[in-house]
Amino acid sequence: MVTPTGGEERIWEILRTVPDPEIPVISLVDLGVVRSVRLDGPGVEVVIRPTFSGCPALQHMRDEVERALREQGYEPVTVTIDRLSSWSTNALHEAARQRLLAFGIAPPPVATGDLSADLAKPVACPQCGSSDTVVDSAFGPTLCKQIFRCKACRQSFERFKPLG
Ligand SMILES: [Zn+2]
């Protein structure tokens, strides 16, 4: 049994180690999913918000947050899902965008709320920076991602879809 030390900053630190189930290179904190944390004696309350509505990853995120905090000695751990607070890709922290790029995933443009306009914006290749890219229709999109192909360096890459 570990005795928890540190204040709420320590909790944020632990949550920064919990990866997003869809995009494991970024943490739930950098994804903008964790809304708030509150220490309550030896226990902790965490509020998270769903990313894509109906995303089955939500239950998984909640379990992972609970597990990570329990491992560090926090008990009880309460994770509340704030369904009224809407997440958008604009909530991505700058660190998350950098991580995506570093792992060859094109980050989303700023979402304006007009999805078809946002999807039509040019997408730069994370490998070579060229904007001469096309959606690779051989692969169907997921809720979160699309596959693109770069005509300049011929690499395929994933692009995180904008969501406003
Ligand atoms: Zn390229």
Side-chain angles (χ1 to χ4, degrees):
M1 192 70 194
V2 194
T3 307
T5 51
E8 288 175 357
E9 200 39 50
R10 173 74 187 129
I11 299 182
W12 285 104
E13 225 171 78
I14 295 164
L15 295 180
R16 271 189 206 103
T17 67
V18 181
D20 174 56
E22 296 274 327
I23 303 146
V25 299
I26 50 185
S27 74
L28 295 184
V29 172
D30 288 337
L31 190 65
V33 161
V34 181
R35 293 285 289 159
S36 62
V37 301
R38 197 170 72 84
L39 266 175
D40 184 12
V44 57
E45 281 177 29
V46 179
V47 178
I48 63 174
R49 56 181 169 182
T51 49
F52 300 87
S53 68
C55 198
L58 194 57
Q59 186 56 44
H60 181 74
M61 288 183 188
R62 175 190 232 161
D63 292 347
E64 289 299 296
V65 165
E66 287 184 5
R67 189 188 53 75
L69 291 168
R70 289 216 171 93
E71 268 176 11
Q72 297 299 319
Y74 295 95
E75 189 74 53
V77 177
T78 313
V79 182
T80 307
I81 295 170
D82 177 5
R83 292 184 187 276
L84 295 177
S85 161
S86 64
W87 178 88
S88 88
T89 48
N90 296 343
L92 280 172
H93 293 194
E94 187 52 33
R97 290 175 182 275
Q98 298 303 327
R99 296 272 296 164
L100 287 171
L101 264 180
F103 281 85
I105 302 171
V110 171
T112 59
D114 180 346
L115 183 63
S116 47
D118 291 340
L119 285 173
K121 287 176 188 159
V123 175
C125 169
Q127 309 291 341
C128 71
S130 168
S131 291
D132 193 7
T133 60
V134 286
V135 174
D136 194 336
S137 51
F139 300 91
T142 66
L143 266 178
C144 313
K145 287 181 282 186
Q146 294 171 293
I147 306 289
F148 272 69
R149 194 159 39 79
C150 174
K151 290 188 189 168
C153 71
R154 295 166 182 273
Q155 299 281 328
S156 288
F157 62 91
E158 289 182 318
R159 183 281 263 280
F160 199 135
K161 280 199 224 168
L163 180 85

